């Protein structure tokens, strides 16, 4: 069904694995489309409660496949028709999305990791704003997320200088949720993703929406948005289960509804 990625579900976690390891999982048009389709599938599948995006081999993704780039390319159109739909599909996802950054994340590969909700970073991983080295600006939402995460000055520094950021520095900057040693990589990523998959899925979606909404609202508008979100969360089965389990002094079993 997919050629440039693999897609599988295990323990309510959807795994989207970028699968062009000999090209460091660089994006082709087909790969953009397949990631968009896989994200759509995972978002709408009720059996999926968290999503992991990672790379096969030694890289997360080296960004746009430069072998595909030629002078006739309208870069604005490429963003509108290929990267934009992929990033919007990710932004619209109500489930938690983890970038499991197993190796280098460069150019639009860095952007993809930034658009996820969590970044689990291997001790072998690195981030590169490679765009400047090919005379482009960071794209695919990169400069939308990066200043919010690490501040304007540092975002500008990374974007202009294009230097490689190693895992520990990424953690210090606030880019990484957690740095994971190579030996424990698969086990810790699975454990984190499964932990998210066992949480109140609707509340997580509403937390994502609330944070997104807060960027475009004043405080009073936000309080109304919050009341709307809390009403929906308060109607969920997981809310009932959370309260009952507390009163009954037992561990809750959340089912995502
Ligand atoms: O129109 C638009 O606007 C499109 C959107 C663009 C967004 C972008 O992403 S622009 C930025 C594109 N990406 C880059 O410029 C990164 C290019 N790659 C690198 O700088 C380095 O490869 C890395 C820093 C990522 C990793 O370095 P290293 O030393 O670990 O690996 P390497 O030896 O450079 O690469 C290994 C192989 O992967 C190599 O192929 P070979 O020689 O073994 O056959 C290399 O050519 C290939 N590769 C790496 N990156 C890309 C790539 N092939 C195609 N496209 C790549 N981006």
């Amino acid at each position: 069904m997919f050629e440039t990625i693999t897609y599988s579900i295990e323990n309510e976690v959807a795994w989207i694995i970028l699968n062009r390891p000999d090209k460091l999982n660089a994006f082709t048009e087909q790969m953009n489309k397949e990631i968009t389709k896989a994200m759509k599938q995972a978002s709408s599948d009720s059996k999926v409660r968290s999503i992991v995006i990672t790379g096969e081999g030694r890289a997360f993704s080296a960004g746009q496949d430069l072998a595909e780039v030629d002078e006739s390319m309208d870069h604005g159109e490429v963003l509108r028709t290929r990267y934009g739909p992929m990033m919007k599909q990710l932004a619209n996802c109500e489930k938690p999305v983890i970038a499991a950054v197993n190796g280098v994340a460069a150019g639009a590969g860095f952007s993809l990791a930034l658009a996820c909700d969590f970044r689990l970073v291997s001790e072998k991983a690195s981030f590169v704003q490679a765009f400047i080295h090919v005379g482009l600006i960071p794209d695919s939402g990169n400069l939308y997320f990066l200043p919010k995460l690490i501040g304007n000055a540092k975002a500008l520094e990374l974007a202009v200088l294009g230097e490689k950021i190693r895992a520990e520095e990424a953690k210090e900057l606030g880019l990484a949720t957690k740095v994971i040693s190579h030996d424990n990589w698969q086990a810790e990523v699975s454990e984190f993703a499964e932990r998210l998959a066992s949480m109140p899925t609707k509340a997580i979606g509403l937390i994502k929406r609330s944070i997104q909404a807060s960027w475009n609202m004043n405080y009073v508008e936000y309080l109304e948005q919050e009341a709307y979100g809390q009403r929906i969360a308060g109607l969920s089965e997981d809310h009932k289960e959370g309260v009952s389990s507390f009163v009954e002094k037992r561990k809750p079993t959340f089912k995502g509804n």
Side-chain angles (χ1 to χ4, degrees):
M1 186 177 162
F2 294 114
E3 287 174 5
T4 63
I5 64 168
T6 63
Y7 180 84
S8 59
I9 300 171
E10 209 180 319
N11 300 330
E12 299 184 294
V13 178
W15 291 80
I16 297 174
I17 305 180
L18 314 185
N19 193 22
R20 300 184 71 226
D22 52 329
K23 298 294 172 195
L24 304 189
N25 301 318
F27 298 117
T28 57
E29 182 167 6
Q30 185 181 359
M31 194 194 262
N32 291 132
K33 287 188 175 149
E34 291 188 352
I35 296 169
T36 309
K37 193 170 170 190
M39 273 305 302
K40 191 172 181 187
Q41 206 169 307
S43 300
S44 62
D45 186 343
S46 60
K47 292 186 209 76
V48 171
R49 292 172 63 195
S50 78
I51 300 162
V52 177
I53 302 179
T54 191
E56 185 64 43
R58 72 176 176 91
F60 179 71
S61 168
Q64 167 63 33
D65 188 323
L66 294 175
E68 260 196 356
V69 174
D70 66 40
E71 282 173 12
S72 67
M73 209 165 177
D74 175 338
H75 293 282
E77 253 337 89
V78 170
L79 293 182
R80 284 186 199 98
T81 58
R82 285 174 44 186
Y83 286 88
M86 180 174 91
M87 304 317 288
K88 282 181 207 158
Q89 194 64 58
L90 197 49
N92 288 336
C93 180
E94 303 281 344
K95 297 167 187 174
V97 187
I98 301 158
V101 186
N102 52 306
V104 66
F110 191 166
S111 311
L112 181 66
L114 286 174
C116 294
D117 303 313
F118 299 91
R119 277 158 295 284
L120 299 182
V121 175
S122 154
E123 63 186 352
K124 292 192 168 181
S126 56
F127 296 87
V128 194
Q129 289 285 50
F131 307 89
I132 194 70
H133 302 306
V134 289
L136 292 176
I137 64 167
D139 62 27
S140 306
N142 189 298
L143 294 182
Y144 187 77
F145 292 113
L146 195 60
K148 294 179 176 70
L149 277 169
I150 66 172
N152 284 353
K154 201 69 195 174
L156 182 118
E157 187 186 310
L158 299 196
V160 172
L161 300 181
E163 290 169 355
K164 192 176 268 190
I165 302 296
R166 305 243 170 231
E168 279 307 329
E169 192 185 347
K171 177 84 175 93
E172 279 160 29
L173 284 172
L175 273 178
T177 310
K178 192 177 183 186
V179 177
I180 298 176
S181 79
H182 183 64
D183 292 343
N184 299 336
W185 176 246
Q186 191 60 38
E188 284 203 37
V189 173
S190 299
E191 193 186 318
F192 189 83
E194 286 170 20
R195 176 178 153 201
L196 286 171
S198 70
M199 293 179 72
T201 313
K202 277 195 180 163
I204 295 177
L206 290 161
I207 289 169
K208 290 177 61 165
R209 287 292 148 261
S210 300
I211 292 175
Q212 269 180 10
S214 74
W215 293 342
N216 303 313
M217 286 178 179
N218 66 36
Y219 184 50
V220 173
E221 287 166 340
Y222 176 75
L223 290 176
E224 183 46 40
Q225 158 77 26
E226 178 190 86
Y228 168 78
Q230 195 68 299
R231 178 168 190 279
I232 297 172
L235 290 169
S236 69
E237 291 298 320
D238 284 343
H239 167 59
K240 280 189 215 155
E241 167 64 5
V243 174
S244 314
S245 64
F246 180 82
V247 173
E248 293 160 16
K249 297 191 187 301
R250 61 173 172 81
K251 268 186 84 175
T253 304
F254 297 117
K255 296 195 173 139
N257 50 25

